[in-house]
Structure formats: structure tokens, C-alpha cells
Amino acid sequence: MTAAGSARRPGRAGDPRYPPIADHGLIGDLRSVALVDTGGTIGWYCCPRFDAPSVFASILDADRGGSFELAADVPARTKQFYFPDTNVLITRFFAADGVGEIQDFMPVVAGSAEDGRHRLIRRVVCVRGALPFRARVAPRFDYGRQSHDLSMRDGRAVFESPSLALSLSASTPIETDGPDAWSEFKLAEGECAVFALDKLGDGVEPRSCPIAEAEEEFAATVAYWRRWLSASRYRGRWREMVHRSALTLKLLTYAPTGGIVAAATTSIPEHPGGERNWDYRYVWIRDSAFCVYALLRLGFSEEAAAFMNFLSEHVSRDGGGPSGPLQIMYGIDGRTELPEVELSHFEGYQGSAPVRTGNGAVHQLQLDIYGALIDSVYLYDKMCQPISSDHWEEIHTLVDWVCDNWDQPDEGIWETRGGRKDFVYSRLMCWVAIERAMRMAGHRGLPADTPRWQRARDAIYRQIMRRGWSPRLQAFVQHFDDDVLDASILMMPLAKFVSPTDPKWLSTLDALGRTLVSDSLVYRYDPLASPDGLRGQDGTFSICSFWYVEALTRAGRLDEARLAFEKMLTYANHLGLYAEEIGQTGEQLGNFPQAFTHLALISAAFNLDRALG
């Protein structure tokens, strides 16, 4: 057995072994994803699904995480782009003697005869002159905790660990070096080479990947993504950014169940060196519900229907646990237990420990999820097709529970770990849950306890207006009977709780602009004024920045909204992707890419387009 890992050097901010978070592109097959940096290295890949233990994780530990390096073997400038209207990633190398490119993609086989095959293909092409290339494949299984055997079989390198086996086939000779495989080769103009990494087992036979087959797989993958994107109805000003966001949301979808993960990674820090490092490879009800809204806006109904089915299997009709009929998140397969574990042997991105798997927030009480979910069901019923009688019974169960439980403190949308509070946003979304259900019942003539629902809805409204308003700040606040602002309040006019031109709301918008907005970027809240139980700083939250654009739009401040939106676009990476947060100097922070950010971009672009005419 070969040993996993190597000598360890402590990470630090600016460590050249860790490319900036923004220097990555994403590929995937609707079951898992891989991150490819601008130098051609895959530094994150979990097989065979999003939440499986990593095979490559050098983004979390440069020495022990493992990687798949592929690059020109001479000094070269690099540029990255997506093959138009697809999730096929191209990394180009510009050297003194030629130009080459790597075409990275994962064939989408969900629902086909090869449903069990998990394949990552890397095509290397010399497009001008001649270039030498090098490849090194260094898997480190189970987050670098399992060692593996490496053997050569029929020209393929086979990596076998106790939990997973992978096969590497290539059109160039492969050599072995301890636990790793490598290859060096030179290509002349018009020549190409292929590397394919396949999961072994589960009835899928190993096979090589000749150049001709790789070309066919490339064409099929391009066709799949273009066919999917052709359903989009968006024809507005920011089509390229909106469609890239839609393609990213689709990549974050787990096809077997319809669940949508919050992000592709775990433990990418919200602040380098801090402890705000979380595992986002799970299905948050809130995030997924907002994704459904964004995709429905663009005309993608199949994803909404798949998520509705996911929900149907997991809504508890007997009242559920402490958080009610719903948990705030589930595994991509619907599992309810996601124990949080620290991987102490990983140093973390730029030394940002701890690295975590699982998520301890799974059993938090976050009342806002009911509003986000029922709002998405309402939109599905309105824009796609009427929900079934069984779905309505599930909604009825949820609303009844909300009517009984809305008036209690919770952990809130930001999953604070500093104790429960009476968050205004949580009350707002409880109001949304009841109000949208009443709309559906009225429109469809569905059975409902309307008098009871109405009493609860109106009580929430009056409570927010009485206790969620600060006379001193002249603004709606984070939680009752306090004077702390929170960007989640930007959802008030978006959720149609308050008119976007109501004097109280306009005063709130101005207060948020003075306190939490910095050059169009919006902070969630001030941790010093409202301790959240965690150490370290927080960057600006990109979903809040897009909410701010939408709030300005609805208030009729279109010039401000458009400028803020255009500024936000400059903070995207070179491919149009966003992490969760933006740092002090414009760097991307947090798990990457983040579904929350991309769905908010779609919504802001859609509504700003409509307002501009």
C-alpha cells in the first residue's frame, strides 16, 4: 500500500500553493462537479457525487489533498472560458512556440444506459505551433485519509482504495511514481491527446477513451448543454451573465433526486484564517426554493417539478421534529442526519482551519424556510402547472404548523450560533407562507382553514409593524426591540409585504444604504453590534447585494439600481462565477460557486430589465 499525503508546510494568506478562489471554473455531470484552476489543475473533485469524500482536494490542503495537474511544460500565459452556451471549460496556454488548450468536461449520462458511469475527460489540443505538456494524477482518497494501490492494466492506471477505485486511460504513455501517475508528451499543431478518469465498479466495465471517442463525447456534452439552455426565455440586456448563472444552477442539481446543493465545495473560508468554514454540499430548503423561483422565471419547469417531488418525499405529515415538518437542509439523497466532523489533518485553504464535513446547523429552527418554500410552490402553481391534491395536503400541513409556531425565536436565515432571537426576517417569511397559501386556496378553490390562517397572517403583520420598526433608526431592524440593521430586510418589498414606495420602507432603504452598503456591496449585518457566536470578520454577502439592486429597482431608483448591478458584475470572476462573499479588496470568499448568489443575479436582472423597458 502506498501512503497518502506528504510533508506538510503551514498555509498562510497569499500562499502561492493556493490559487485565488476566483481562479477556478466548474464542470460537472449533474451528480458531481470538479473545480479547474486557471493553471489547468483540478483541485476539487468528489466521486461519485457532490457529498462523497474527495478524490482531489488540493484547494483544502496543497500537500495532502490530491490533484490532477495538466499544463504546458513551458512558461505560458493562460486564459479560461466556457465553450459558448455550455459547461465545457477551456483553459488556453499561450507560449513562445505555440498555443494549446485543455477542454475539460464530464459527460452527462443520467437516465441513459450508462447511468452508473462517472467520467471526467480532459482533451489537450495544440492549436498553433508545437508545445510540450505534462500531466500528473495524484488522487488522495477519502479526504486524504485512505491510502491506495496503483497498478497498470492494459495501458490504464488503476488507483484502488478501500472505498473507491478509479481508472485513468490516456492516448499518451502513462508512467507511475509511487502513488501517482504521470505523462509527458509533445503535440504539434492540430494534434491532440486525451485523458479520461473513470469510476470502477457498480456494474460499469472499465474502458479506454480513444481520441475519436473523446471527440464524440465532447460533441454530445456540448449538444446536451445547448439543448438545455435553449429553453430559456430570457432575452434581456444581461443575457450572457444570466445564462451563465442558469447553467451554474443546473450544474449544482443532483439529477437522481432533483435536489439542488447550496454550493460545490466545503470549508472555503468566508474569512481566510477564520473559523467560518462550512460544508455547503447539501440541499437547503431555502436556497433550493429560491433556485426554483429563478429557474421558473427563465422558463425551466422540469427542475421545479423535480424539486417538488424531492419535497414530497420529505415533508413530514405528523408535525416532524423540533424544527417542524421540514428540516432546514437534507442530504442530496434526502437523508436527515448530516453530522459535522472536523478534518484535523487538512490545513484548510491558505491555512484556514477547521475543514468540516457535514453541517451542525441541520437541526436549527429557521422559520423563514416555510415562506421561501411555499412562495416557490405558489409560483410553480401559477407559472408552470397546478399542484396536485397531494401537494396541497402537504402545503396545508406546513401552513397549519406555521400558524401554531410562528411566534417564537429562531436561529434565522444566517444560521447564527449565538442563540435564538425574534428575527424580523423569520416573521416576514412566516407571513409569506400563509399569504401565498391563501392566494392558492382562493385562486383554485382549494380547502383551507381560511379564518384561522388569516388571523395568524394579520397578527404577524401587526407584530412586525409594531416591534420590528425602530423609531430611533427610522427603519425595520434585524430582530424585535433592538436597533440593529440586517440586509435580509431587503426582502420586504420583494416579498410584497410592504409597498416598495412606502415611506417606512424608503426610510429603511436609506438607512441600509448608509450603514451596510459599500460601493454597491452589502454586508449582512454588523457582527459587533449583533454578535453571532463566531469569531472572525465577514465579507459582503453577494445575494444581499443583488437584493439591494432589486429593492432599488422596485423603489423606482433605476439609475442607482443599474449602476449597482453593473458594479456587481465586475466582481464576478473571469467566467461569470461568484462565491458567497466579496472581500475588502474585491476577492471572492466562501464556498464556490454559490447558488444563492447566482439565483439572486437572475432575479435582479429579470426585474431590472423589466423596469428599464
Side-chain angles (χ1 to χ4, degrees):
M1 294 286 266
T2 55
S6 59
R8 185 185 187 86
R9 291 188 295 157
R12 63 190 186 282
D15 190 329
R17 297 176 302 147
Y18 293 95
I21 296 165
D23 284 7
H24 291 86
L26 186 75
I27 59 173
D29 62 359
L30 307 185
R31 292 171 299 181
S32 185
V33 291
L35 290 183
V36 187
D37 70 29
T38 52
T41 294
I42 295 177
W44 181 251
Y45 175 51
C46 298
C47 183
R49 42 189 251 177
F50 291 105
D51 58 354
S54 63
V55 173
F56 304 129
S58 59
I59 196 170
L60 295 178
D61 193 306
D63 296 326
R64 299 185 178 186
S67 63
F68 188 158
E69 301 173 11
L70 182 57
D73 202 14
V74 291
R77 294 179 296 110
T78 64
K79 291 185 178 180
Q80 249 181 358
F81 69 99
Y82 278 109
F83 203 76
D85 294 335
T86 76
N87 281 316
V88 175
L89 184 65
I90 313 294
T91 306
R92 309 201 90 202
F93 296 83
F94 299 85
D97 295 324
V99 178
E101 66 183 37
I102 302 170
Q103 302 165 354
D104 283 313
F105 61 97
M106 295 168 67
V108 180
V109 298
S112 73
E114 289 225 306
D115 193 58
R117 185 171 296 280
H118 301 273
R119 169 166 272 198
L120 194 161
I121 296 178
R122 314 196 73 182
R123 293 178 77 206
V124 190
V125 182
C126 183
V127 295
R128 300 185 69 181
L131 278 180
F133 290 88
R134 69 182 186 279
R136 188 172 193 89
V137 184
R140 299 293 182 263
F141 294 93
D142 188 28
Y143 306 110
R145 294 179 297 193
Q146 289 184 3
S147 57
H148 64 269
D149 285 325
L150 172 56
S151 59
M152 296 299 298
R153 303 177 193 172
D154 301 323
R156 294 179 287 108
V158 177
F159 306 89
E160 290 182 288
S161 77
S163 61
L164 181 67
L166 298 175
S167 168
L168 174 71
S169 59
S171 61
T172 64
I174 300 174
E175 305 289 339
T176 63
D177 179 15
D180 306 338
W182 61 274
S183 180
E184 293 180 352
F185 55 97
K186 189 170 184 176
L187 298 177
E189 187 169 324
E191 293 181 335
C192 76
V194 172
F195 294 83
L197 192 65
D198 285 275
K199 176 183 176 295
L200 297 181
D202 296 328
V204 177
E205 293 297 321
R207 71 167 189 244
S208 59
C209 187
I211 290 175
E213 181 179 341
E215 189 168 345
E216 292 172 4
E217 298 258 34
F218 177 88
T221 305
V222 166
Y224 173 87
W225 289 114
R226 288 183 168 172
R227 185 169 58 251
W228 181 82
L229 190 62
S230 67
S232 171
R233 295 196 297 255
Y234 182 80
R235 300 293 183 270
R237 294 166 175 81
W238 298 286
R239 186 175 177 182
E240 185 174 348
M241 288 298 290
V242 167
H243 280 175
R244 178 50 50 201
S245 291
L247 284 163
T248 302
L249 293 181
K250 182 64 173 176
L251 268 184
L252 297 176
T253 302
Y254 184 61
T257 64
I260 304 169
V261 298
T265 56
T266 178
S267 302
I268 307 299
E270 297 175 18
H271 175 70
E275 65 173 339
R276 299 170 185 265
N277 315 323
W278 313 111
D279 193 346
Y280 278 7
R281 298 171 298 158
Y282 305 115
V283 180
W284 265 256
I285 293 295
R286 176 194 308 110
D287 300 43
S288 297
F290 285 158
C291 282
V292 167
Y293 167 80
L295 292 172
L296 279 174
R297 280 290 189 202
L298 302 181
F300 298 106
S301 58
E302 286 186 11
E303 289 68 27
F307 182 61
M308 293 295 135
N309 291 332
F310 179 90
L311 287 171
S312 291
E313 295 181 13
H314 304 298
V315 173
S316 171
R317 302 235 182 153
D318 60 4
S323 61
L326 289 176
Q327 289 188 178
I328 69 165
M329 72 180 92
Y330 296 87
I332 56 175
D333 54 2
R335 71 188 187 281
T336 57
E337 295 300 322
L338 307 172
E340 188 170 294
V341 177
E342 292 189 7
L343 303 180
S344 58
H345 63 290
F346 269 4
E347 70 176 16
Y349 176 80
Q350 292 188 353
S352 299
V355 172
R356 295 181 172 98
T357 66
N359 199 302
V362 64
H363 295 302
Q364 282 191 356
L365 177 64
Q366 296 177 19
L367 293 167
D368 67 282
I369 66 173
Y370 293 91
L373 172 59
I374 295 176
D375 193 29
S376 71
V377 175
Y378 163 75
L379 291 168
Y380 178 81
D381 182 80
K382 177 182 177 182
M383 301 167 60
C384 190
Q385 65 180 17
I387 63 171
S388 69
S389 55
D390 283 344
H391 281 148
W392 177 248
E393 289 301 316
E394 291 157 6
I395 295 300
H396 203 294
T397 297
L398 298 181
V399 177
D400 283 343
W401 188 90
V402 170
C403 287
D404 289 334
N405 292 275
W406 63 267
D407 192 12
Q408 60 178 310
D410 70 347
E411 277 87 4
I413 181 176
W414 307 129
E415 293 178 4
T416 58
R417 301 197 178 192
R420 293 181 177 181
K421 296 177 182 176
D422 290 305
F423 288 103
V424 172
Y425 179 77
S426 297
R427 296 295 201 278
L428 164 69
M429 297 308 286
C430 286
W431 178 91
V432 169
I434 301 170
E435 198 275 339
R436 298 303 191 269
M438 290 177 65
R439 284 197 199 189
M440 277 191 286
H443 175 68
R444 296 269 310 279
L446 296 167
D449 192 351
T450 304
R452 177 177 180 242
W453 290 6
Q454 184 171 340
R455 284 193 301 272
R457 181 199 65 180
D458 295 350
I460 298 170
Y461 179 90
R462 293 190 182 99
Q463 188 186 69
I464 292 174
M465 288 298 185
R466 185 177 71 254
R467 298 180 61 195
W469 171 260
S470 167
R472 187 179 74 81
L473 295 182
Q474 288 293 292
F476 291 104
V477 291
Q478 183 184 64
H479 49 81
F480 289 163
D481 307 322
D482 208 339
D483 290 332
V484 178
L485 293 174
D486 191 302
S488 63
I489 298 303
L490 288 163
M491 279 293 290
M492 277 188 161
L494 279 58
K496 297 181 169 54
F497 176 85
V498 66
S499 164
T501 56
D502 186 296
K504 279 190 170 182
W505 172 249
L506 294 178
S507 176
T508 301
L509 190 58
D510 289 339
L512 291 168
R514 291 190 302 269
T515 307
L516 296 181
V517 179
S518 171
D519 186 43
S520 82
L521 300 174
V522 181
Y523 291 94
R524 294 183 295 178
Y525 53 88
D526 180 356
L528 296 178
S530 180
D532 55 15
L534 295 166
R535 298 187 305 273
Q537 301 173 348
D538 215 7
T540 59
F541 236 65
S542 293
I543 187 174
C544 299
S545 302
F546 286 119
W547 283 349
Y548 184 59
V549 169
E550 199 163 341
L552 290 171
T553 299
R554 292 172 186 258
R557 293 158 60 171
L558 298 185
D559 287 343
E560 291 177 66
R562 185 166 189 178
L563 180 59
F565 187 76
E566 294 287 358
K567 283 184 175 181
M568 269 303 296
L569 297 187
T570 69
Y571 288 104
N573 83 342
H574 57 290
L575 298 168
L577 303 180
Y578 290 87
E580 187 173 33
E581 301 182 17
I582 304 295
Q584 187 65 33
T585 56
E587 70 275 19
Q588 303 261 3
L589 297 173
N591 283 308
F592 177 88
Q594 179 85 357
F596 235 179
T597 306
H598 286 280
L599 64 89
L601 183 155
I602 291 171
S603 183
F606 184 92
N607 286 289
L608 182 55
D609 252 324
R610 187 168 56 182
L612 290 170

